[in-house]
Amino acid sequence: AQSVTQLDSQVPVFEEAPVELRCNYSSSVSVYLFWYVQYPNQGLQLLLKYLSGSTLVKGINGFEAEFNKSQTSFHLRKPSVHISDTAEYFCAVSEGTTDSWGKLQFGAGTQVVVTP
Amino acid sequence: EAQVTQNPRYLITVTGKKLTVTCSQNMNHEYMSWYRQDPGLGLRQIYYSMNVEVTDKGDVPEGYKVSRKEKRNFPLILESPSPNQTSLYFCASSLLGAPRDNSPLHFGNGTRLTVT
């Protein structure tokens, strides 16, 4: 079974500064990887996903992530954050051979707080 | 508007009093799922359903029941709620049953349940 570790529970960052959120996973098989964002009092929205192909994945709102198979990582980055990026971010992993969303595992989340 | 609708948004109840949280989607999705979100634990899956009359346990099914009598609805039932079921609950749906099908998960806005 796979598992996900988000290394930072909270990341404070100044507006217009870059941010990186770290995600590591463990799995004995190929994986699908996802980043979701949760704004206050809302459900989760998909930021980006890696299913196959290019290891650099671009998502919505200027975010990107890089799949590194040798380091089993899928770190999320944004070169310049806005106040509106204040939210909780979740990394999730699913087995690449799975026939079900039921195997999706979420990390514990990283709270990003952007200040002026 | 395509959406996943959960009701109620907030619910306070007492130990042992049966309750139902409803979830409805208007996108003709086959797959539906329930998660609970707790601080430091991320999202954990309770139950999921690949289609009508097909349901399976997730990682934390104890104390919960579900049913899928029709495609659009997937209610979560707590027959005898206990304080350890105090949590934020999310319903999600997807057009198809697996991430490789490139059909993303759509989340509702959550139900905050408090059991005293």
Side-chain angles (χ1 to χ4, degrees), chain A residues 25 31 33 35 48-59 63-71 73-77:
Chain A
Y25 69 92
V31 294
L33 295 155
W35 275 99
L48 49 78
K49 63 188 177 196
Y50 170 80
L51 300 183
S52 65
S54 173
T55 56
L56 182 62
V57 180
K58 293 191 184 297
F63 284 93
E64 64 180 33
E66 185 154 19
F67 169 52
N68 187 319
K69 188 175 180 180
S70 63
Q71 297 188 5
S73 67
F74 191 55
H75 300 333
L76 180 71
R77 301 183 183 93

Side-chain angles (χ1 to χ4, degrees), chain B residues 25-88:
Chain B
Q25 49 89 8
N26 62 359
M27 297 169 279
N28 202 36
H29 283 177
E30 290 187 357
Y31 179 88
M32 297 187 74
S33 180
W34 277 103
Y35 296 88
R36 61 178 289 174
Q37 182 182 4
D38 301 291
L41 296 177
L43 277 77
R44 294 178 293 168
Q45 191 175 50
I46 303 170
Y47 270 95
Y48 65 97
S49 169
M50 296 291 280
N51 214 324
V52 176
E53 302 292 359
V54 179
T55 62
D56 280 296
K57 295 178 180 179
D59 295 321
V60 288
E62 295 78 18
Y64 304 95
K65 284 176 58 177
V66 293
S67 68
R68 188 93 182 271
K69 293 188 172 68
E70 48 189 343
K71 203 170 190 178
R72 64 183 294 130
N73 296 322
F74 191 45
L76 179 69
I77 303 155
L78 284 72
E79 296 267 4
S80 183
S82 62
N84 65 12
Q85 292 178 299
T86 292
S87 187
L88 180 59

Side-chain angles (χ1 to χ4, degrees), chain B residues 5 17 24 52 55 61 65 72 78 82 91 96 102 114 116:
Chain B
T5 304
K17 185 176 181 182
S24 179
V52 176
T55 62
K65 284 176 58 177
R72 64 183 294 130
L78 284 72
S82 62
C91 181
L96 298 170
N102 211 17
T114 302
T116 61

